[in-house]
Each structure stands twice: as structure tokens, then as C-alpha cells.
Amino acid sequence: MPTSCANGSTASPVPDDAGRRGQERADRLARIQRRFAEFAAEYAALPLYSALCRNLAGDAETASLLLAARPGQARPVLWLAALHELVLRRADTPAARWYPSVVGQDSVPQGDPWPDVRRTVLEHRDELVERIATSATQTNEVNRAVYVSVGLAAAAADLAGTPIALVELGASAGLLLGIDRYTVDLVGADRTVTLGDPASPVRCSGVDRAEVGAQLAVGPVLPPVVARVGLDLSPVDLNDDDAVRWLEACLWPDVRGRVERFRAARALLRPDPPVVLAGDMVDDIDRAVWRARDAAGTDAHVVVMSSWAITYVAAPRRLALETRLSTLARDLSALSWLTAEPPACAPGISAHDLREDGGGTVVGLRRWRGGRELEPVVLGTCNPHGQWVDLSLRAVDNRTS
Ligand SMILES: C[S@@+](CC[C@H](N)C(=O)[O-])C[C@H]1O[C@@H](n2cnc3c(N)ncnc32)[C@H](O)[C@@H]1O
């Protein structure tokens, strides 16, 4: 209703600061609840997380915890990770029994988790808000070893037997740096080809859509990795239980095998963890490359890789990274740059001709030999967690064509 002013004119009510803030909060909360609804629809196949998000979409009191998130961080995965961290730490909370990562895949009860989850959230509201207000999600996905190992074999196709100094940009806890210590099964239509250590307690696997395993069986195999150095803005120490628990909490507990694989990889690498330097992938890349090269020897083949990391860097910084690498190449006998990133992210790797297959991850390779760059190669696409790969080595290894 219009209000009458002292001078007799009429005007709409002007909300005071508190009213405006209240409206902004209500709008933000509505957006957050919409995101929970979208998450539930997109991941309907995940029994626990889709059920939680469906309920959160209609429950303002529990969804509102996400209002505490830092700008740009108010995403359902942060809320879900905060609660997951709590139940990993406190198996005595009512919600914990619904988590396969706490009780085991086969001990999760049938029924509706929401009453137990809601109770837990409201009882631990303050610590969950604190976690949401101070954290961002971070991952280290071990099954990405499936496409990284194919990429590594491709990078080394012309340098069989030359020791590798492996450098990972955005390495998180460095779990992918242990790639040659895992079993990687490429599951083709007729046969499974295994890379890495077949006796490893860490098993990674992906469906091999283009039979790249058959090419590997007659062509290059994984070269020896003799030095490994990671670089990350927020490196995670494998011996820091709290930090590792947060990484684990950011995994989705009802994706079968994901948490178990993460734990197995941590246990394997923990006694002698790979070095992960704190630093920026553009500003500090020289430090990481020289540390790895010095440990491996002058003739080593330096392979710089990134998987779902360059995508977090602004486009002009990606070009600065490309410039750094081509400059470094002048002083290295062999340098390869292996990228597994979203389309149009890695400089010089064109995804133009790739068919749209829903993978959203393009595996590309750039190589400098004796300071001169060879033709860039697009190996193909894959699922971002390595569940399938559609890759070919034909462009890098003429023995397989
Ligand atoms: C999605 S995680 C991927 C981790 C790992 N590569 C994997 O595939 O499991 C991205 C990582 O990149 C790191 N990161 C983001 N921007 C970075 C930068 N400018 N320099 C170094 N690391 C960065 C983050 O801290 C995070 O650990």
C-alpha cells in the first residue's frame, strides 16, 4: 500500500536496512534451496546424497547453514562435505549410520535417512556453520590414474625406457603422483589391459571405449618414474589426519569404491609421501620442475601434468603457464605437458573435432624434444573420474597405427 508523506504526496514504502538485509537473505536462501533441488535431480542415482538434497530443498532451517559460506562457495557439495566430515569424526551421531564410508557399503540400513540427518545437523549446527564458513571443497581423485596412466604412456611413446621426473600442477595431497604404484585396469569389450603394479592394494579401473589398452599392449608401457614433485596452492599433508579427513569428506560416500580407493592410496603412500610444494602453478612452476629434474638426473624426461587444475586458473594465467613451459623446455632434454582438463582450457589443445560424449574432460599432450616443440596431440576424452576413457595413442605412436 502506498503511504502518505508529510507533504501530502504518496510514495512506496522504502525498506530500512534491516528489511533489505532480510530480503537479501531470503533471496539467497531461495537460491540455495533451488541448488539443492537441482543437485537432487542431477544425481538421482546416488541414494544418500539425492535424498538429503531433496529434503534440503524443502527445509529452510537446515539449508540455511549454507548462508555462512564464503562468496562463491555456497554450493550443495560444501554443505554435504561439512556433514560428511562430522560423521567421519563422530560415528556416534544419528546420521552416521546412513554413510557407507562410516559403516561400510553393506551395513547401510534401508529407509529414510532424513530424520536422523536433520537431528544431527540441528544438534551440531554451530560446528557445521563454522566449517562451512571457513572451508572450500578440495579433492584428490585416485581413479583419475586411469586416464593419467594412458597419457603418461603416450608422453613416453618416443622415449621408451627414459626415466621420468613427474611434476603435478594442482596436486592436492599428491595421490596421483603415486600412479605407477597402483593397478590400473582398462576394461575393453574383449579384454582388460593392466598398467602399473598388478599387485597393488590400490585398484583403479575404467571402461576402455576405444580399445586404447590394445594399443598399449603392443606399444608403449608405463615408463619408470624416478622423481615426483607436486605443486598446489593448498597442499595436503598425508600425515595430517584432520586435513586428510576433509579431503575424504569432499568425496561422495555413495559412489561405490571411491572412499575406499582414497584410503588405500593414502595408506600406500603415507610412509614415504610425494613432495607437494606450496605454491602457484604459474609463479612457482620452475621451482617444482627443477626440483624433480635434479632428483631424476639431467637426461630425465620431465612430464608436467595437470588434471582438473588448470581450469581453476584464469585464462591469461593459462597462457602465462604455457610461456613458462616453453621457456623451461629450452633447458631440458625432453619435456612433456600432459593435461586432462575441460574443453578449451589447456592452451594449444583444441577440442574442436571431438564428438560430444558427456565426458567433459579432454586429454591433451604437448611435447618439446631438445627444445623444439612437436605437433600438439589430442588423445581424446574421458569421464572426469576415469570411469571411462575414449582415448587413442595413434597420433603419438606409429607402431600402433
Ligand atoms: C579439483 S582439485 C584436483 C586435484 C588433483 N589434480 C586430482 O585430479 O585429484 C584442484 C587442485 O588445484 C589446486 N589449485 C587451484 N589453483 C591453483 C593454482 N593457481 N596453483 C596451484 N594449485 C592450484 C587446488 O588447491 C586443488 O588442490
Side-chain angles (χ1 to χ4, degrees), residues 137-145 147-148 168-176 231-236 247 277-284 305-314 317 340-341 384-385:
T137 54
Q138 188 179 9
T139 52
N140 204 178
E141 180 56 52
V142 178
N143 207 53
R144 289 182 174 145
Y147 54 72
V148 173
E168 185 181 4
L169 308 179
S172 192
L175 294 179
L176 285 177
L231 183 60
D232 200 286
L233 283 182
S234 312
V236 174
L247 265 194
L277 305 173
D280 175 80
M281 70 172 78
V282 183
D283 297 337
D284 301 299
M305 63 138 168
S306 80
S307 135
W308 281 87
I310 297 179
T311 185
Y312 294 97
V313 170
R317 298 284 287 163
E341 301 285 349
H385 291 169

Coordinates of all heavy atoms in Angstrom, one line a residue, residues 137-145 147-148 168-176 231-236 247 277-284 305-314 317 340-341 384-385, ligand 1:
T137 N 35.7 -26.8 -0.8 CA 35.9 -28.2 -1.1 C 37.2 -28.4 -1.9 O 37.6 -27.5 -2.6 CB 34.7 -28.8 -1.9 OG1 34.5 -27.9 -3.1 CG2 33.4 -28.8 -1.1
Q138 N 37.8 -29.5 -1.7 CA 39.0 -29.8 -2.4 C 39.0 -31.3 -2.6 O 38.5 -32.1 -1.7 CB 40.3 -29.4 -1.5 CG 41.6 -29.6 -2.3 CD 42.8 -29.1 -1.5 OE1 42.7 -28.8 -0.3 NE2 43.9 -29.0 -2.1
T139 N 39.5 -31.8 -3.7 CA 39.5 -33.3 -3.9 C 40.9 -33.8 -4.3 O 41.7 -33.0 -4.8 CB 38.5 -33.6 -5.0 OG1 38.8 -32.8 -6.1 CG2 37.1 -33.4 -4.5
N140 N 41.1 -35.0 -4.2 CA 42.2 -35.7 -4.9 C 41.6 -37.1 -5.3 O 41.4 -38.0 -4.5 CB 43.3 -35.9 -3.9 CG 44.7 -36.1 -4.6 OD1 45.7 -36.2 -3.9 ND2 44.7 -36.1 -5.9
E141 N 41.3 -37.2 -6.6 CA 40.5 -38.4 -7.1 C 41.5 -39.4 -7.7 O 42.0 -39.2 -8.7 CB 39.5 -37.9 -8.1 CG 38.7 -38.9 -8.7 CD 37.9 -39.7 -7.7 OE1 37.2 -39.1 -6.9 OE2 38.0 -40.9 -7.7
V142 N 41.6 -40.5 -6.9 CA 42.6 -41.5 -7.3 C 42.3 -42.2 -8.6 O 43.2 -42.5 -9.4 CB 42.8 -42.5 -6.1 CG1 43.8 -43.6 -6.5 CG2 43.2 -41.8 -4.9
N143 N 41.0 -42.4 -8.9 CA 40.7 -43.1 -10.2 C 41.1 -42.3 -11.4 O 41.0 -42.9 -12.5 CB 39.2 -43.5 -10.2 CG 39.0 -44.8 -11.0 OD1 39.6 -45.8 -10.8 ND2 38.1 -44.7 -12.0
R144 N 41.4 -41.1 -11.3 CA 41.9 -40.3 -12.4 C 43.2 -41.0 -12.9 O 43.7 -40.7 -14.0 CB 42.1 -38.9 -12.1 CG 40.8 -38.2 -11.9 CD 41.0 -36.7 -11.6 NE 39.7 -36.0 -11.5 CZ 39.3 -35.1 -10.7 NH1 40.2 -34.6 -9.8 NH2 38.1 -34.6 -10.7
A145 N 43.8 -41.8 -12.1 CA 45.0 -42.6 -12.6 C 44.7 -43.3 -13.9 O 45.6 -43.6 -14.7 CB 45.4 -43.6 -11.5
Y147 N 43.1 -42.3 -16.7 CA 43.5 -41.5 -17.9 C 44.9 -41.0 -17.8 O 45.6 -40.8 -18.8 CB 42.4 -40.5 -18.3 CG 42.0 -39.5 -17.2 CD1 42.9 -38.4 -16.8 CD2 40.8 -39.5 -16.7 CE1 42.5 -37.5 -15.9 CE2 40.3 -38.6 -15.8 CZ 41.2 -37.5 -15.4 OH 40.8 -36.6 -14.5
V148 N 45.3 -40.7 -16.6 CA 46.7 -40.2 -16.5 C 47.7 -41.2 -16.9 O 48.7 -40.9 -17.6 CB 47.0 -39.7 -15.0 CG1 48.5 -39.3 -14.9 CG2 46.1 -38.5 -14.7
E168 N 53.3 -32.6 -10.9 CA 51.9 -32.4 -11.0 C 51.5 -31.0 -10.5 O 51.8 -30.6 -9.4 CB 51.1 -33.4 -10.2 CG 49.6 -33.2 -10.5 CD 48.6 -34.2 -9.7 OE1 49.1 -35.0 -8.9 OE2 47.4 -34.1 -10.0
L169 N 50.8 -30.3 -11.4 CA 50.3 -28.9 -11.0 C 48.9 -29.1 -10.4 O 48.0 -29.8 -11.0 CB 50.2 -28.1 -12.3 CG 51.5 -28.0 -13.1 CD1 51.2 -27.1 -14.3 CD2 52.6 -27.5 -12.3
G170 N 48.6 -28.5 -9.3 CA 47.3 -28.7 -8.6 C 47.3 -30.1 -8.0 O 46.3 -30.8 -8.3
A171 N 48.3 -30.5 -7.3 CA 48.4 -32.0 -6.9 C 47.6 -32.3 -5.7 O 47.5 -33.5 -5.4 CB 49.9 -32.3 -6.6
S172 N 47.1 -31.4 -5.0 CA 46.3 -31.6 -3.8 C 47.1 -32.4 -2.8 O 48.1 -31.9 -2.3 CB 45.0 -32.4 -4.2 OG 44.1 -32.5 -3.2
A173 N 46.8 -33.7 -2.4 CA 47.7 -34.4 -1.5 C 48.7 -35.2 -2.2 O 49.5 -36.0 -1.6 CB 46.8 -35.4 -0.7
G174 N 48.8 -35.1 -3.5 CA 49.8 -35.8 -4.3 C 49.5 -37.3 -4.6 O 50.4 -38.0 -5.0
L175 N 48.2 -37.7 -4.4 CA 47.9 -39.1 -4.6 C 48.1 -39.6 -6.1 O 48.5 -40.7 -6.3 CB 46.5 -39.4 -4.2 CG 46.2 -39.2 -2.7 CD1 44.8 -39.6 -2.3 CD2 47.2 -40.1 -1.8
L176 N 47.9 -38.7 -7.0 CA 48.2 -39.1 -8.4 C 49.6 -39.2 -8.8 O 50.0 -39.9 -9.8 CB 47.5 -38.1 -9.4 CG 46.0 -38.3 -9.5 CD1 45.4 -37.2 -10.4 CD2 45.6 -39.7 -10.0
L231 N 52.7 -29.5 -6.9 CA 52.7 -28.1 -6.6 C 51.2 -27.8 -6.4 O 50.4 -28.1 -7.2 CB 53.2 -27.3 -7.8 CG 53.3 -25.8 -7.7 CD1 54.3 -25.4 -6.6 CD2 53.9 -25.2 -9.0
D232 N 50.9 -27.1 -5.3 CA 49.5 -26.8 -5.0 C 49.4 -25.5 -4.1 O 50.2 -25.3 -3.3 CB 48.8 -28.0 -4.3 CG 47.2 -27.9 -4.5 OD1 46.6 -27.1 -3.8 OD2 46.7 -28.7 -5.3
L233 N 48.3 -24.8 -4.4 CA 48.1 -23.6 -3.5 C 47.8 -24.0 -2.1 O 48.2 -23.3 -1.1 CB 46.9 -22.8 -4.0 CG 47.0 -21.9 -5.2 CD1 45.7 -21.2 -5.5 CD2 48.1 -20.9 -5.0
S234 N 47.1 -25.2 -1.9 CA 46.8 -25.7 -0.6 C 47.2 -27.2 -0.5 O 46.3 -28.0 -0.6 CB 45.3 -25.6 -0.3 OG 44.8 -24.3 -0.6
P235 N 48.5 -27.5 -0.4 CA 48.9 -28.9 -0.4 C 48.4 -29.6 0.9 O 48.3 -28.9 2.0 CB 50.4 -28.8 -0.3 CG 50.8 -27.4 -0.1 CD 49.6 -26.6 -0.2
V236 N 48.0 -30.8 0.8 CA 47.5 -31.6 1.9 C 48.6 -32.6 2.3 O 49.0 -33.4 1.5 CB 46.2 -32.3 1.6 CG1 45.7 -33.2 2.7 CG2 45.1 -31.2 1.3
L247 N 39.6 -33.8 3.0 CA 39.7 -34.3 1.6 C 38.8 -35.5 1.4 O 38.0 -35.6 0.4 CB 41.1 -34.8 1.2 CG 42.1 -33.9 0.6 CD1 43.3 -34.7 0.0 CD2 41.5 -33.1 -0.6
L277 N 54.8 -29.2 -3.1 CA 55.3 -27.8 -2.7 C 54.0 -26.9 -2.6 O 53.1 -27.0 -3.4 CB 56.2 -27.3 -3.7 CG 57.5 -28.1 -4.0 CD1 58.3 -27.5 -5.1 CD2 58.4 -28.2 -2.7
A278 N 54.1 -26.0 -1.6 CA 53.0 -24.9 -1.6 C 53.4 -23.9 -2.6 O 54.5 -23.3 -2.5 CB 52.9 -24.4 -0.2
G279 N 52.5 -23.6 -3.5 CA 52.8 -22.5 -4.5 C 51.8 -22.5 -5.6 O 50.9 -23.3 -5.7
D280 N 52.0 -21.4 -6.4 CA 51.1 -21.2 -7.5 C 51.6 -21.9 -8.8 O 52.9 -21.9 -9.0 CB 51.0 -19.7 -7.8 CG 50.1 -19.4 -9.0 OD1 48.9 -19.5 -8.9 OD2 50.7 -19.2 -10.1
M281 N 50.8 -22.5 -9.5 CA 51.2 -23.3 -10.7 C 51.9 -22.5 -11.8 O 52.7 -23.0 -12.6 CB 50.1 -24.2 -11.3 CG 49.0 -23.4 -12.0 SD 47.9 -24.5 -12.8 CE 46.9 -25.1 -11.5
V282 N 51.7 -21.2 -11.8 CA 52.4 -20.4 -12.8 C 53.6 -19.8 -12.2 O 54.7 -19.9 -12.7 CB 51.4 -19.2 -13.3 CG1 52.2 -18.4 -14.4 CG2 50.1 -19.8 -13.8
D283 N 53.5 -19.1 -11.0 CA 54.6 -18.4 -10.4 C 55.7 -19.3 -10.0 O 56.9 -19.0 -10.0 CB 54.1 -17.6 -9.2 CG 53.2 -16.5 -9.7 OD1 53.2 -16.1 -10.9 OD2 52.4 -16.0 -8.8
D284 N 55.3 -20.6 -9.6 CA 56.3 -21.4 -8.9 C 56.6 -22.7 -9.7 O 57.3 -23.6 -9.1 CB 55.8 -21.8 -7.5 CG 55.5 -20.6 -6.7 OD1 56.5 -19.8 -6.4 OD2 54.4 -20.3 -6.3
M305 N 52.2 -32.6 -15.5 CA 50.8 -33.0 -15.8 C 49.8 -32.2 -14.9 O 50.2 -31.7 -13.8 CB 50.6 -34.5 -15.6 CG 50.8 -34.9 -14.1 SD 49.5 -36.1 -13.7 CE 50.2 -36.8 -12.2
S306 N 48.6 -32.1 -15.4 CA 47.5 -31.5 -14.5 C 46.2 -32.2 -14.9 O 46.0 -32.6 -16.0 CB 47.4 -30.0 -14.8 OG 46.6 -29.8 -16.0
S307 N 45.4 -32.4 -13.8 CA 44.1 -33.0 -14.0 C 43.2 -32.2 -13.2 O 43.3 -32.1 -12.0 CB 44.2 -34.5 -13.6 OG 43.1 -34.9 -12.9
W308 N 42.2 -31.6 -13.9 CA 41.2 -30.7 -13.3 C 41.9 -29.7 -12.3 O 41.5 -29.6 -11.2 CB 40.1 -31.6 -12.6 CG 39.2 -32.1 -13.6 CD1 39.3 -33.2 -14.4 CD2 38.0 -31.4 -14.1 NE1 38.3 -33.3 -15.3 CE2 37.5 -32.2 -15.2 CE3 37.3 -30.2 -13.8 CZ2 36.3 -31.9 -15.9 CZ3 36.2 -29.9 -14.5 CH2 35.7 -30.7 -15.5
A309 N 42.9 -29.0 -12.8 CA 43.5 -28.0 -12.0 C 43.7 -26.7 -12.8 O 43.4 -25.6 -12.2 CB 44.9 -28.5 -11.5
I310 N 44.1 -26.7 -14.1 CA 44.3 -25.5 -14.8 C 43.0 -24.8 -15.0 O 42.9 -23.6 -15.1 CB 44.9 -25.8 -16.2 CG1 46.3 -26.4 -16.1 CG2 45.0 -24.6 -17.1 CD1 46.9 -26.8 -17.4
T311 N 41.9 -25.6 -14.9 CA 40.6 -24.9 -15.1 C 40.3 -23.9 -14.0 O 39.4 -23.1 -14.1 CB 39.5 -26.1 -15.1 OG1 38.2 -25.5 -15.3 CG2 39.5 -26.9 -13.9
Y312 N 41.0 -24.0 -12.8 CA 40.8 -23.1 -11.7 C 41.6 -21.8 -11.9 O 41.5 -20.9 -11.1 CB 41.2 -23.7 -10.4 CG 40.2 -24.9 -10.0 CD1 40.5 -26.2 -10.3 CD2 39.0 -24.6 -9.5 CE1 39.6 -27.2 -10.1 CE2 38.1 -25.6 -9.2 CZ 38.4 -26.9 -9.5 OH 37.5 -27.9 -9.3
V313 N 42.4 -21.7 -13.0 CA 43.3 -20.6 -13.2 C 42.7 -19.7 -14.3 O 42.2 -20.2 -15.3 CB 44.7 -21.1 -13.6 CG1 45.6 -20.0 -14.1 CG2 45.3 -21.8 -12.4
A314 N 42.7 -18.4 -14.1 CA 42.1 -17.5 -15.1 C 42.8 -17.7 -16.5 O 44.0 -18.0 -16.5 CB 42.2 -16.1 -14.7
R317 N 46.3 -16.4 -17.2 CA 47.4 -17.1 -16.4 C 47.7 -18.5 -17.1 O 48.8 -18.9 -17.0 CB 46.9 -17.3 -15.0 CG 46.6 -16.1 -14.2 CD 47.9 -15.4 -13.8 NE 48.5 -16.1 -12.7 CZ 49.8 -16.0 -12.3 NH1 50.6 -15.1 -13.0 NH2 50.3 -16.6 -11.3
A340 N 44.6 -33.0 -18.5 CA 43.3 -33.5 -18.5 C 42.3 -32.5 -17.9 O 42.3 -32.4 -16.7 CB 43.2 -34.8 -17.7
E341 N 41.7 -31.7 -18.8 CA 41.0 -30.5 -18.3 C 39.8 -30.4 -19.2 O 39.6 -31.1 -20.2 CB 41.9 -29.3 -18.5 CG 43.3 -29.3 -17.8 CD 43.1 -29.1 -16.3 OE1 42.0 -28.7 -15.8 OE2 44.1 -29.3 -15.6
P384 N 35.4 -37.5 -16.0 CA 36.3 -36.7 -15.2 C 36.9 -37.5 -14.0 O 37.9 -37.2 -13.4 CB 35.5 -35.6 -14.7 CG 34.1 -35.9 -15.1 CD 34.1 -36.8 -16.2
H385 N 36.2 -38.7 -13.7 CA 36.7 -39.5 -12.6 C 37.3 -40.8 -13.1 O 37.5 -41.8 -12.4 CB 35.7 -39.8 -11.5 CG 35.3 -38.6 -10.8 ND1 34.2 -38.5 -9.9 CD2 35.9 -37.4 -10.7 CE1 34.1 -37.3 -9.4 NE2 35.1 -36.6 -9.8
Ligands
LIG1 C1 40.0 -30.4 -8.3 S1 41.5 -30.4 -7.5 C2 42.3 -31.7 -8.4 C3 43.4 -32.4 -7.6 C4 44.1 -33.4 -8.4 N1 44.8 -32.9 -9.6 C5 43.2 -34.6 -8.8 O1 43.0 -34.7 -10.0 O2 42.7 -35.3 -8.0 C6 42.3 -28.9 -8.0 C7 43.5 -28.6 -7.2 O3 44.2 -27.5 -7.8 C8 44.7 -26.6 -6.8 N2 44.9 -25.3 -7.4 C9 43.9 -24.4 -7.8 N3 44.5 -23.3 -8.3 C10 45.9 -23.5 -8.2 C11 47.0 -22.7 -8.6 N4 46.8 -21.5 -9.1 N5 48.2 -23.2 -8.3 C12 48.4 -24.4 -7.7 N6 47.3 -25.2 -7.4 C13 46.1 -24.8 -7.6 C14 43.6 -26.7 -5.7 O4 44.2 -26.3 -4.4 C15 43.3 -28.2 -5.7 O5 44.0 -29.0 -4.9

